[in-house]
Amino acid sequence: MSNLTLTANSSITSLPAVPEWRRIMNRFLGHRGLMIGSVILAVIILAALFAPWLAPHDPYVQNVSQRMIPPIWHDKGTWNHILGTDKLGRDYLSRLLYGARISLTIGISAAVISGLIGTTLGVLAGYFGGRVDAVISYIITTRLALPVVLVALAMASLVGGSLQTVIVLLGLLLWDRFAVVARSTTQQLRDAEFIASAKVLGASTPYILIRELLPNILSALIVVMTLEMAHAILLEAALSFLGIGVQPPSPSWGLMVAEGKSYMFFQPWVIAIPGVALMVLVLAINLVGDGLRDMNAPEGRS
Amino acid sequence: MPDYALELSNLSRHFYLKNGAFKEPTLLKAVDGISLRIRPGETLGLVGESGCGKSTLAKMILGLLEPTDGDVLVNDKVRGASSRLAMARQLQPIFQDPYSSLNPRKTIEKIIRLPLQLHKVGDSNSQRKAVKEISDLVGLPERLLKQYPGQLSGGQRQRVAIARALILRPSILVCDEPTSALDVSVQAQILNLLMDLKKELNLTYLFISHNLGVVEHLVDRVAVMYRGKLVEQGTREEIFHHAKHPYTQALLSSVLTPDPALGVPEVLDSSSWDKAS
Ligand SMILES: Nc1ncnc2c1ncn2[C@@H]1O[C@H](COP(=O)(O)OP(=O)(O)OP(=O)(O)O)[C@@H](O)[C@H]1O
Ligand SMILES: [Mg+2]
């Protein structure tokens, strides 16, 4: 840390400046949690993207003669089905790979939707204050008073579960933290002199909000985004497990756990495999989130 | 040539301070009926103790705060009558805190160039050239243009702020304590720069400071503010050598202590000059 600060300072007087991306790279490589998290996350994302090429079987094809084959580390495991098959004889590894697509799609889409809603509300409340703030704060409080799981359950069973329903539902429910963080960071910056300077120059309010203010609160919002992504992924698994989220035969990890639950005493791997996958994904996202937060902490410069 | 670069007529700004949920809010007259005129090319120093309403006044002149009462005239035209963009080309601010006046996420070049982009002056080539020219003028080395504000010293940052304020070639600068956040040694550099620029570009300055010592060598005229009101104004000569108002005298004695034994000024009895004004 200290030698980094030194280089940054000495660049003022004589040395050529250390380029911005170099300093970001150094900090990135210096943070172990962030490194581990991003590597795991990158692997899962690549696996999801290339699932059609990586998957040894079609995740939907049933084969009654190959039901409940255990994974390779069991005595009865076969190389043909490395992670075994489920009760309908579908290849577990293939389902797991395609399941990563569902988890990531839902995590990212829900976080983006809620991020847009929450950031817009929070920035408007923080920037304009007064009556705008009062109304938006009331909306935030109302949202905070709603139990997310209960509302999601009720709405999903009312509308009927599907991938789209889950995304929209979670997107509409998970924006509160974005709003709170955006509001407070905006309040801190609202009176900054660079904002005043842009106003005097005649910049429009949208310009000030999007080009001057937003880049300065983005890092805080990205951290929230990782948290909400993990949150959404877990909620999707829960909804799917309860049968009102993503519907069969989609290979959602939550659904895989649900379908395996009657076998869990004799073939625990049926739920252990999707369960561990879920845990690793959420852990990786949280490590990345924590790391990004640390990266954004001031380091000799504001 | 307008008669006055800047004219304030009976300018006021009142705040209601909340005293908890059940008490009546109290009225604070932060700026209370100030009238002032600055001729083109003149430098007016506005001095007064902390909290007397100087920044509130500057904000109203810059259009950042609506006056409760009164008008601001820029080059003989009422502020509200022309657009923000038109105003920006005539009047620009230099703020006190160079650490908060530059967007930390933009490079110096982008910061200085922003006014040209907002006002759609020239193409990107000519804009970049203009940035280099103005940086040269304010003594900012070209290699700093690619850096971020966090990598610059306070004095360098204030030069950036001055470059940004001047790139549209306004005729008036409103400087609200432009040096009070800087090191003493850097203060002098920035003040000299401001004076050189004034000569070179024929600028009009409203120079706000709580420190009479800072303005002594720069200004043509001085206006003294106390609790939202002007208590005295006059030429530099008049104020520094023949101050009439007891508050001005007290301010002077707190800055210019010819007799070291006087040292720190005594606690002032404010009632005496309240009556006098
Ligand atoms: N938005 C506001 N709401 C309520 N009171 C305010 C507001 N802005 C300023 N004031 C009050 O108005 C008075 C004048 O403030 P101002 O910032 O103009 O003082 P100043 O002369 O610039 O002081 P300094 O030398 O410390 O910068 C202060 O008492 C301040 O508390
Ligand atoms: Mg002030």
Side-chain angles (χ1 to χ4, degrees), chain B residues 15 17 28 30 49-56 177 210:
Chain B
F15 291 112
L17 303 179
L28 172 74
E49 68 191 352
S50 181
C52 71
K54 305 182 298 290
S55 296
T56 307
E177 316 234 14
H210 62 268

Side-chain angles (χ1 to χ4, degrees), chain A residues 33-52:
Chain A
L34 183 57
M35 278 292 289
I36 296 173
S38 2
V39 168
I40 298 176
L41 194 57
V43 168
I44 296 177
I45 290 173
L46 287 177
L49 281 177
F50 294 105

Side-chain angles (χ1 to χ4, degrees), chain B residues 15-146:
Chain B
F15 291 112
Y16 286 95
L17 303 179
K18 293 200 181 79
N19 295 320
F22 303 108
K23 288 190 194 139
E24 282 284 297
T26 45
L27 178 67
L28 172 74
K29 297 183 173 178
V31 174
D32 191 14
I34 287 201
S35 300
L36 255 185
R37 287 165 168 178
I38 309 178
R39 291 187 185 284
E42 193 179 38
T43 298
L44 178 83
L46 181 68
V47 295
E49 68 191 352
S50 181
C52 71
K54 305 182 298 290
S55 296
T56 307
L57 187 78
K59 279 186 195 150
M60 287 191 285
I61 295 172
L62 294 168
L64 293 169
L65 200 64
E66 281 305 310
T68 311
D69 194 20
D71 283 317
V72 177
L73 281 76
V74 178
N75 290 327
D76 294 343
K77 293 208 187 66
V78 179
R79 201 190 152 103
S82 18
S83 70
R84 256 179 193 280
L85 288 173
M87 273 297 138
R89 284 193 287 269
Q90 302 172 50
L91 179 86
Q92 278 293 309
I94 311 262
F95 290 111
Q96 170 171 9
D97 182 6
Y99 289 89
S100 110
S101 72
L102 309 180
N103 188 340
R105 302 276 160 180
K106 290 190 169 176
T107 62
I108 302 303
E109 171 158 29
K110 281 213 187 101
I111 291 172
I112 302 180
R113 199 170 143 188
L114 177 66
L116 297 178
Q117 285 176 325
L118 287 175
H119 289 251
K120 304 198 170 62
V121 181
D123 57 9
S124 75
N125 266 338
S126 72
Q127 288 180 355
R128 225 168 279 141
K129 229 177 82 194
V131 169
K132 287 207 176 99
E133 269 172 32
I134 202 87
S135 316
D136 232 27
L137 195 64
V138 301
L140 201 66
E142 202 181 309
R143 65 187 160 79
L144 294 182
L145 292 180
K146 293 271 169 275

